[in-house]
Amino acid sequence: MVARMLTLWLLLGLTASYTQANIPDEVDPQLRQRLMQAVSMADSFEDRFDAEVWLLDMSTRMARFVPDETERLRLLRLVHREARLAGLKPDLVLAVIHVESLFDRYALSRAGAQGIMQVMPFWKNELGRPDDNLIDLATNLRYGCTILKHYMDRENGNLRRALARYNGSLGSQRYPDRVIDYWHSYWFVNE
């Protein structure tokens, strides 16, 4: 228990210094209430403490991309759940989303990829689910995380090759380098 409290104290201190310019002197009570609600609804965490730490940390990092607190906490819960269901690290999935759509759930690529993880619509027909809505966050995350995990398995855990396959750019290192750079410089969580 002491180790957990020390971890939380250190995390809060690091998070505070990480975004000190953006944090008011007092915590917004509405944000506190929303965060507590998000923690109580977070079912993919091992315990409440893990949920509190991860959601607070990631919410602080994501605030400039998703300003609405409620939307941000909902997205984080979904990312965590779908990443864990697929067997992926949630912070890696956040890095993929950062590169793919910059957290824009309505993103549409020139190639036709849709949503936050830029899933190609042909997957809906492949699965016999043509009515699935790839703009829906939960649906897009389920598809995207499952596809990425498939490529991780196919490439025997080789992250660079799996990311290149996910992006349709196998043979080029540009996309994997961008994702890995964002992951390590912005989203990485040492577990």
Side-chain angles (χ1 to χ4, degrees):
M1 184 65 175
V2 173
R4 284 183 157 196
M5 293 307 291
L6 181 59
T7 302
L8 179 60
W9 180 77
L10 286 171
L11 177 63
L12 291 173
L14 291 174
T15 303
S17 65
Y18 178 75
T19 59
Q20 195 161 7
N22 298 329
I23 297 178
D25 292 335
E26 293 182 24
V27 175
D28 180 351
Q30 189 176 22
L31 172 58
R32 179 183 293 124
Q33 179 61 33
R34 287 182 178 164
L35 185 58
M36 293 306 295
Q37 182 180 18
V39 166
S40 69
M41 295 168 50
D43 58 1
S44 62
F45 293 89
E46 291 192 25
D47 61 35
R48 182 183 175 96
F49 176 81
D50 289 342
E52 288 175 6
V53 170
W54 193 83
L55 287 169
L56 176 62
D57 182 22
M58 292 300 133
S59 180
T60 302
R61 296 182 200 196
M62 188 185 282
R64 70 183 222 194
F65 306 112
V66 182
D68 182 82
E69 296 156 2
T70 303
E71 182 182 342
R72 185 170 62 243
L73 291 170
R74 177 176 178 268
L75 173 59
L76 286 168
R77 284 192 317 274
L78 288 170
V79 166
H80 195 275
R81 183 185 74 202
E82 294 303 329
R84 290 291 188 209
L85 281 173
L88 298 169
K89 290 189 62 152
D91 49 320
L92 171 61
V93 173
L94 288 169
V96 169
I97 293 168
H98 192 146
V99 172
E100 288 289 347
S101 67
L102 199 60
F103 301 94
D104 179 3
R105 69 184 299 166
Y106 302 106
L108 180 64
S109 76
R110 291 183 303 236
Q114 298 176 3
I116 199 159
M117 289 192 76
Q118 291 293 277
V119 175
M120 291 298 288
F122 75 82
W123 284 109
K124 298 187 309 181
N125 292 328
E126 288 290 320
L127 299 175
R129 300 179 57 99
D131 294 330
D132 278 358
N133 179 1
L134 293 177
I135 300 303
D136 176 71
L137 289 173
T139 302
N140 195 280
L141 286 163
R142 174 75 47 99
Y143 274 75
C145 289
T146 303
I147 293 165
L148 181 56
K149 176 60 172 163
H150 169 75
Y151 290 138
M152 287 288 291
D153 292 345
R154 184 172 175 180
E155 294 296 338
N156 297 314
N158 184 321
L159 180 59
R160 287 184 178 282
R161 288 185 58 85
L163 288 169
R165 282 193 185 279
Y166 183 85
N167 179 251
S169 61
L170 189 60
S172 171
Q173 292 301 308
R174 186 171 184 265
Y175 177 81
D177 286 348
R178 287 182 64 212
V179 172
I180 291 168
D181 182 51
Y182 278 116
W183 185 30
H184 286 273
S185 66
Y186 201 80
W187 297 108
F188 186 77
V189 174
N190 192 8
E191 293 180 344

